[in-house]
Amino acid sequence: QKEVEQNSGPLSVPEGAIASLNCTYSDRGSQSFFWYRQYSGKSPELIMSIYSNGDKEDGRFTAQLNKASQYVSLLIRDSQPSDSATYLCAVISDMRFGAGTRLTVKP
Amino acid sequence: DAGVIQSPRHEVTEMGQEVTLRCKLISGHNSLFWYRQTMMRGLELLIYFNNNVPIDDSGMPEDRFSAKMPNASFSTLKIQPSEPRDSAVYFCASRRRGMNYGYTFGSGTRLTVV
């Protein structure tokens, strides 16, 4: 059974801090990884994608991928209360999502 | 682009009744996925289609669940008979073929079986 694991959280950070969200996957052949944000009562929305080892930055968001360690992470800099949501890691080849990490940013 | 459209948004039904959830894909997307989300189990893949053909239905919990894709833009998920444990949010998602494309989700159907 292919697995996508996320740190269970919940994670609470103060406004302006860096939030770090982590995900590991079991399928070594996986090529494409996505981070989704899901607000309570809403559907998941795509915020970041990453395919190559290293970092990918988009505004306050940075996705990091290490295929050797089968590890992908999402960093949110200068966290805002509006970032409070559940963040889901997805591995496209598996079509599976992690259980999600609930992030709360406290003003 | 209208996005992935699901209906109904909410459904409350009595145990034993048939439930049909509907999904319209984004134009140009050729893969469709049905997911179920609960607090206990998170987001579970039920079934997916490529070019209208069911590829993997191993996530369908039991024979009470069935899904069809009669054309390139529309799919249904049917539960017959429904049970209280089927209560969940059901999402439909679509994407273009190719590893670099992510999923676009519909707004979901919140199903409550009483």
Side-chain angles (χ1 to χ4, degrees):
Chain A
Q1 176 72 17
K2 298 175 182 176
E3 299 288 341
V4 181
E5 302 280 350
Q6 290 186 244
N7 47 340
S8 57
L11 177 65
S12 180
V13 300
E15 184 174 354
I18 295 175
S20 177
L21 306 163
N22 305 312
C23 176
T24 59
Y25 58 95
S26 62
D27 183 6
R28 201 168 269 284
S30 299
Q31 298 293 323
S32 304
F33 307 87
F34 296 80
W35 282 98
Y36 282 77
R37 177 176 62 200
Q38 186 176 23
Y39 292 113
S40 180
K42 301 295 185 182
S43 57
E45 57 177 329
L46 180 63
I47 55 171
M48 286 287 287
S49 59
I50 188 165
Y51 319 114
S52 304
N53 278 329
D55 295 359
K56 179 182 177 183
E57 189 173 314
D58 184 0
R60 296 185 296 110
F61 297 95
T62 299
Q64 299 173 319
L65 176 60
N66 184 325
K67 290 185 179 180
S69 300
Q70 296 174 239
Y71 176 94
V72 59
S73 65
L74 180 70
L75 301 178
I76 306 174
R77 292 183 301 281
D78 188 23
S79 297
Q80 302 296 309
S82 59
D83 295 326
S84 298
T86 297
Y87 290 80
L88 301 162
C89 170
V91 177
I92 285 296
S93 59
D94 291 351
M95 293 162 285
R96 284 176 169 76
F97 287 75
T101 300
R102 185 168 184 174
L103 171 67
T104 300
V105 180
K106 296 186 175 180
Chain B
D1 196 343
V4 177
I5 299 172
Q6 288 189 248
S7 64
R9 291 294 305 273
H10 302 274
E11 176 81 27
V12 180
T13 191
E14 291 184 348
M15 182 174 62
Q17 295 298 307
E18 177 181 296
V19 176
T20 299
L21 311 181
R22 297 175 174 79
C23 175
K24 184 176 185 303
L25 282 71
I26 292 175
S27 177
H29 286 197
N30 46 17
S31 296
L32 178 130
F33 306 81
W34 282 101
Y35 286 91
R36 177 173 68 177
Q37 188 174 43
T38 60
M39 289 292 292
M40 290 295 293
R41 301 175 68 90
L43 203 56
E44 300 175 276
L45 177 66
L46 299 177
I47 185 171
Y48 81 95
F49 296 81
N50 282 342
N51 296 319
N52 309 358
V53 177
I55 303 301
D56 184 355
D57 65 354
S58 60
M60 298 284 261
E62 347 180 338
D63 291 345
R64 299 184 295 105
F65 286 69
S66 62
K68 294 182 179 180
M69 194 165 176
N71 58 55
S73 61
F74 183 73
S75 177
T76 59
L77 177 69
K78 184 179 292 186
I79 307 172
Q80 166 63 21
S82 58
E83 297 182 2
R85 59 190 168 128
D86 302 330
S87 298
V89 180
Y90 290 80
F91 287 108
C92 170
S94 70
R95 62 186 286 259
R96 297 179 190 275
R97 288 287 300 279
M99 284 299 175
N100 291 352
Y101 295 102
Y103 306 91
T104 301
F105 283 81
S107 299
T109 295
R110 181 173 295 276
L111 173 65
T112 303
V113 183
V114 298

